[in-house]
């Protein structure tokens, strides 16, 4: 039988006590957020008649999610990370800040500490027989359209098995394979010599895929390359571009695809002279337009736990 208890004094007092709302001690913002989220959960239990069995299944799921270390992956898969981007886009619009390369999600697989190279970096450190050579290049410009010197372009992407270095369960990659950082010169140009990535999926037996299975969703991403661009005088850009032609481009489980982030893939020759593994190679031009600081500050810098390594 359905009962409604959420609005009772007893439950409202319980919520306030649990969050220590107005309790004097603790962090007021944290109390406010916990009170709201817990209240939304309690209300959902009431509204949907969520059973004790279902609640405990959820609690145990959180334990498993933590054991698997997949909470950030789930955040991407449930659209939470995309939602934060939608909000930041709306905040930009509200202050009249438009233009610039669109942001998209960072995902959980960045590793800080890649050595910074001037202008160009060759980042295919480990052999990968199934991946062809790829050159990624472009120009970083500011809001005035002029090249930006001393911007640092970082990229990271998967190998031909869909694994990222540092997180590769096969152990086939060293820490900064297919990851790099390039500082632009006066011409604003950067270049990475690397290998073509493929798309990948969530760990098939992990808790993210388990939840997606329950929703009848797949956990796959199209092939893509992650990009950070930092410059002292501009806002940091967090974005990705997709590899043109991937069938999942518009069916990304993490909702990262944007129309402006699908550059053309161009077939080229002359790779041998560039030190690539084959003479025929693919080339992608990905130009980056940075946005201005807002009142002298990067108003949308995102702090989150990130992996780090040293060379
Ligand atoms: Fe990725």
């Amino acid at each position: 039988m359905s009962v409604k208890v959420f609005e009772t004094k007893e439950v409202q007092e319980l919520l306030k006590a649990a969050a220590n709302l107005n309790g004097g001690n603790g962090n007021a913002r944290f109390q406010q957020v916990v009170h709201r989220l817990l209240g939304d959960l309690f209300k959902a239990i009431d509204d949907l008649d969520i059973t004790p069995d279902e609640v405990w299944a959820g609690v145990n799921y959180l334990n498993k999610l933590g054991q698997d270390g997949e909470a950030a992956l789930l955040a991407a898969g449930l659209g939470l990370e995309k939602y934060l981007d939608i909000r930041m886009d709306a905040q930009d619009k509200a202050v009249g800040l438009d233009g610039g390369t669109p942001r998209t999600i960072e995902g959980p697989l960045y590793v800080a500490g890649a050595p910074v190279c001037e202008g160009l970096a060759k980042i295919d450190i480990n052999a990968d027989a199934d991946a062809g050579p790829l050159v990624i290049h472009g120009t970083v410009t500011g809001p005035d359209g002029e090249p930006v010197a001393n911007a640092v372009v970082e990229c990271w992407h998967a190998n031909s098995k869909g694994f990222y270095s540092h997180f590769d369960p096969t152990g086939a990659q060293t820490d900064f394979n297919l990851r790099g950082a390039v500082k632009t010169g006066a011409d604003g140009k950067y270049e990475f010599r690397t290998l073509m990535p493929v798309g990948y999926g969530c760990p098939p037996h992990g808790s993210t895929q388990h939840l997606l299975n329950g929703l009848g969703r797949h956990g796959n991403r199209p092939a893509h390359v992650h990009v950070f661009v930092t410059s002292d005088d501009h806002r940091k850009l967090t974005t990705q571009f997709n590899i043109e032609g991937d069938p999942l481009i518009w069916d990304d489980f993490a909702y990262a695809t944007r129309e402006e982030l699908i550059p053309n893939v161009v077939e080229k020759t002359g790779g041998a002279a560039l030190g690539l593994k084959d003479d025929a190679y693919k080339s992608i031009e990905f130009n980056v337009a940075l946005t201005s600081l807002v009142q002298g500050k990067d108003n949308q810098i995102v702090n989150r736990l990130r992996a780090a390594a040293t060379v």
Side-chain angles (χ1 to χ4, degrees), residues 186-254:
D187 59 3
K189 290 188 185 304
Y190 76 91
E191 180 173 323
F192 292 102
R193 295 182 186 166
T194 186
L195 299 172
M196 184 60 86
V198 299
Y200 56 85
C202 296
H205 304 296
S207 23
T208 301
Q209 189 59 57
H210 179 75
L211 183 143
L212 294 172
N213 289 345
L215 298 175
R217 288 181 50 199
H218 73 73
N220 298 316
R221 301 210 57 204
H224 59 275
V225 174
H226 296 264
V227 175
F228 275 165
V229 185
T230 42
S231 157
D232 285 346
D233 301 326
H234 303 87
R235 298 196 306 171
K236 177 179 175 179
L237 174 69
T238 300
T239 195
Q240 307 178 23
F241 61 83
N242 287 107
I243 305 299
E244 185 187 40
D246 191 298
L248 285 180
I249 278 188
W250 293 108
D251 191 15
D252 177 4
F253 102 101

Side-chain angles (χ1 to χ4, degrees), residues 123-128 155-159 163-166 168 172-180 194-195:
I123 58 173
D124 57 323
I125 298 159
N126 306 126
D128 187 343
C155 87
W156 66 105
H157 65 78
N159 67 2
F163 293 127
Y164 284 76
S165 61
H166 192 80
D168 186 340
Q173 303 183 67
T174 50
D175 263 347
F176 287 102
N177 190 45
L178 311 181
R179 300 176 183 274
T194 186
L195 299 172

Side-chain angles (χ1 to χ4, degrees), residues 37-292:
L37 291 180
L38 194 59
D40 286 352
L41 175 63
F42 281 18
K43 187 157 192 328
I45 291 171
D46 231 20
D47 288 348
L48 303 178
D49 256 331
I50 298 175
T51 67
D53 290 6
E54 289 170 329
V55 169
W56 291 115
V59 169
N60 289 331
Y61 178 80
L62 292 178
N63 272 335
K64 179 71 165 52
L65 184 67
Q67 281 167 8
D68 292 349
E70 287 192 11
L73 183 65
L74 183 68
L78 284 181
L80 177 60
E81 199 169 358
K82 172 70 177 177
Y83 182 64
L84 298 178
D85 278 354
I86 292 170
R87 282 182 49 80
M88 285 193 280
D89 285 353
Q91 286 160 357
D92 282 355
K93 207 171 167 194
V95 298
L97 218 164
D98 52 13
T101 302
R103 62 170 57 81
T104 194
I105 70 164
E106 174 180 331
L109 301 175
Y110 172 76
V111 177
V116 180
C117 301
E118 300 288 334
L120 183 154
K122 190 169 188 310
I123 58 173
D124 57 323
I125 298 159
N126 306 126
D128 187 343
D130 297 326
L134 170 66
V135 172
I136 300 164
H137 66 103
T139 304
V140 179
T141 54
D144 54 4
E146 295 297 314
V148 175
N150 299 317
V152 175
V153 181
E154 293 177 86
C155 87
W156 66 105
H157 65 78
N159 67 2
S160 71
K161 308 291 180 290
F163 293 127
Y164 284 76
S165 61
H166 192 80
F167 303 97
D168 186 340
T170 73
Q173 303 183 67
T174 50
D175 263 347
F176 287 102
N177 190 45
L178 311 181
R179 300 176 183 274
V182 163
K183 187 185 275 190
T184 59
D187 59 3
K189 290 188 185 304
Y190 76 91
E191 180 173 323
F192 292 102
R193 295 182 186 166
T194 186
L195 299 172
M196 184 60 86
V198 299
Y200 56 85
C202 296
H205 304 296
S207 23
T208 301
Q209 189 59 57
H210 179 75
L211 183 143
L212 294 172
N213 289 345
L215 298 175
R217 288 181 50 199
H218 73 73
N220 298 316
R221 301 210 57 204
H224 59 275
V225 174
H226 296 264
V227 175
F228 275 165
V229 185
T230 42
S231 157
D232 285 346
D233 301 326
H234 303 87
R235 298 196 306 171
K236 177 179 175 179
L237 174 69
T238 300
T239 195
Q240 307 178 23
F241 61 83
N242 287 107
I243 305 299
E244 185 187 40
D246 191 298
L248 285 180
I249 278 188
W250 293 108
D251 191 15
D252 177 4
F253 102 101
Y255 309 104
T257 304
R258 302 186 73 153
E259 197 76 60
E260 305 90 331
L261 302 176
I262 314 172
N264 293 328
V265 178
V266 180
E267 308 275 350
K268 291 206 169 182
T269 56
L274 302 178
L276 306 181
K277 64 188 273 192
D278 298 317
D279 197 60
Y281 68 99
K282 292 185 167 46
S283 175
I284 292 175
E285 182 175 10
F286 184 64
N287 296 317
V288 171
L290 296 177
T291 50
S292 301

